[in-house]
């Protein structure tokens, strides 16, 4: 939570449309963590967060700080799994969910040596900022499996395989379901 409190000190990403005028970088961070949980991004460490400095506005001498847009999302969608393992998981009921549940973030509970799962990292942020979490989850609820499949199928075949694409689509479906099932537990 201390990490999210730091997000209060920076602005919402510059030139992004805010759902509410009061939103700061912290509410955007909730969305970033939800995105990481959805795509199973296991590498959102301290060097994969950024701040943009902006000098525009009525007081040109004053620098304003904004949360940077997301970057370095490459450690996701089961990228470390060998293709044969993906084939096995696609054939075995529940194994993709099991894999998703074990997905670790780069966040550690205070004083502990184990990492939080990407889902638990999002849950902590969601309980700290439930209004923001509900907005992000509502956006996620509007994304259809067919849309993600269509987007992923735009990746050149030289860079991926049909198995990797099928696995990614199924993993996104599993994580979307898990996140949306969590949503009703939030109180605002």
């Amino acid at each position: 939570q201390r990490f999210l409190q730091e997000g209060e000190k920076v602005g919402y990403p510059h030139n992004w449309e805010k759902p509410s005028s009061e939103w700061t970088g912290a509410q955007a961070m909730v969305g970033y963590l939800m995105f990481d949980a959805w795509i199973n991004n296991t590498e959102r460490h301290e060097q994969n967060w950024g701040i943009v400095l902006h000098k525009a506005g009525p007081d040109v001498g004053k620098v304003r700080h904004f949360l940077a847009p997301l970057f370095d999302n490459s450690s996701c969608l089961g990228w470390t799994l060998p293709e044969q393992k993906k084939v096995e998981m696609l054939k075995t009921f529940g194994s993709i969910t099991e894999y998703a549940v074990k997905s670790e973030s780069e966040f550690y509970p205070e004083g502990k040596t184990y990492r939080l799962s990407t889902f638990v990292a999002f849950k902590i942020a969601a309980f700290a900022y439930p209004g923001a979490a509900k907005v992000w989850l509502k956006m996620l609820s509007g994304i259809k499996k067919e849309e993600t499949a269509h987007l992923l199928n735009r990746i050149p075949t030289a860079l991926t395989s049909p198995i990797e694409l099928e696995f990614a689509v199924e993993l996104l479906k599993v994580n979307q379901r898990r996140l949306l099932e969590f949503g009703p537990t939030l109180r605002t």
Side-chain angles (χ1 to χ4, degrees), residues 121-136:
F122 167 68
K123 283 174 65 174
I124 290 169
F127 284 128
Y129 297 91
K134 285 185 175 189
V135 169
W136 291 115

Side-chain angles (χ1 to χ4, degrees), residues 4 7-8 10 12-13 19 22-32 67 129 131-133 136:
L4 290 167
E8 291 283 348
V10 299
Y12 196 73
E22 291 87 40
W23 277 34
T24 66
Q27 286 84 359
M29 292 165 101
V30 174
Y32 289 10
L67 186 65
Y129 297 91
W136 291 115

Side-chain angles (χ1 to χ4, degrees), residues 4-22:
L4 290 167
Q5 290 167 349
E6 293 297 316
E8 291 283 348
K9 299 176 185 175
V10 299
Y12 196 73
H14 189 60
N15 290 334
W16 282 24
E17 186 177 319
K18 288 185 189 183
S20 167
S21 62
E22 291 87 40

Side-chain angles (χ1 to χ4, degrees), residues 39 71 93 116-117 153 155 159:
I39 67 172
F71 58 90
F93 179 78
L116 297 173
S117 73
N153 282 320
I155 299 171
L159 299 176

Side-chain angles (χ1 to χ4, degrees), residues 11 16 24 44 49 76 87 110 122 125 133 154 160 174 178 185:
W16 282 24
T24 66
R44 181 78 49 220
W49 294 90
C76 65
V87 169
E110 196 167 327
F122 167 68
R154 293 178 60 195
T160 190
V174 163
R178 293 175 63 226
T185 67

